[in-house]
Amino acid sequence: MRTISILCWVISSLVLTACASGPISRSDSVGFEESGGASYYAMKYQGRKTASGELFDQKAMTAAHKRLPFGSKVKVTNVDNGKSVVVRVNDRGPFVRGRIIDLSKSAFQRIGNTRDGVIEVEIEVLR
């Protein structure tokens, strides 16, 4: 009986985890909010293909998010200074614990100092 209880708990945990980490539909994404770390792309990614198929451009106002639909417009606000920028999701990532969004260098510079590497932000999907 104890083995069955443990097995049920493990299966339930896996199902809930899978649901939480899947993509968010466009209709469910508007108004979505999240907070955590934001980083920016290294120069070595300039001109490489993103997950959406377009070429990455450090000067564009774009970002990577694990679950938001490509094309989503996201307001990213630095919690320390209140500065914000609107970016378009065109890639997947970041895949580092505690980070919720990767910004192009230009977008990151509008709200923070690149010497910091990672800043605490709040994001909100606008459309």
Side-chain angles (χ1 to χ4, degrees):
M1 185 66 173
R2 180 168 158 77
T3 305
I4 292 173
S5 294
I6 292 171
L7 186 58
C8 286
W9 183 84
V10 169
I11 291 171
S12 296
S13 296
L14 290 173
V15 168
L16 290 174
T17 301
C19 292
S21 62
I24 300 171
S25 71
R26 178 146 326 263
S27 60
D28 289 339
S29 67
V30 175
F32 174 83
E33 295 179 345
E34 190 175 20
S35 59
S39 51
Y40 65 94
Y41 285 83
M43 283 305 295
K44 70 180 183 179
Y45 296 105
Q46 178 66 26
R48 290 189 184 180
K49 194 175 277 194
T50 64
S52 68
E54 60 186 86
L55 298 181
F56 177 69
D57 180 4
Q58 285 283 20
K59 294 179 181 174
M61 294 296 127
T62 57
H65 191 276
K66 292 179 209 102
R67 300 172 53 215
L68 292 175
F70 294 137
S72 296
K73 296 286 186 175
V74 180
K75 180 180 177 183
V76 182
T77 304
N78 181 330
V79 297
D80 289 334
N81 63 21
K83 292 181 180 180
S84 63
V85 65
V86 176
V87 295
R88 180 178 51 85
V89 174
N90 72 339
D91 203 5
R92 291 289 172 238
F95 300 106
V96 177
R97 187 179 200 150
R99 296 188 195 172
I100 61 167
I101 197 163
D102 268 339
L103 303 171
S104 65
K105 191 171 186 179
S106 293
F108 191 97
Q109 288 173 326
R110 290 203 180 183
I111 62 172
N113 190 323
T114 56
R115 287 180 290 187
D116 295 334
V118 178
I119 57 175
E120 287 299 307
V121 297
E122 293 176 344
I123 67 170
E124 177 189 2
V125 177
L126 303 175
R127 57 183 162 101

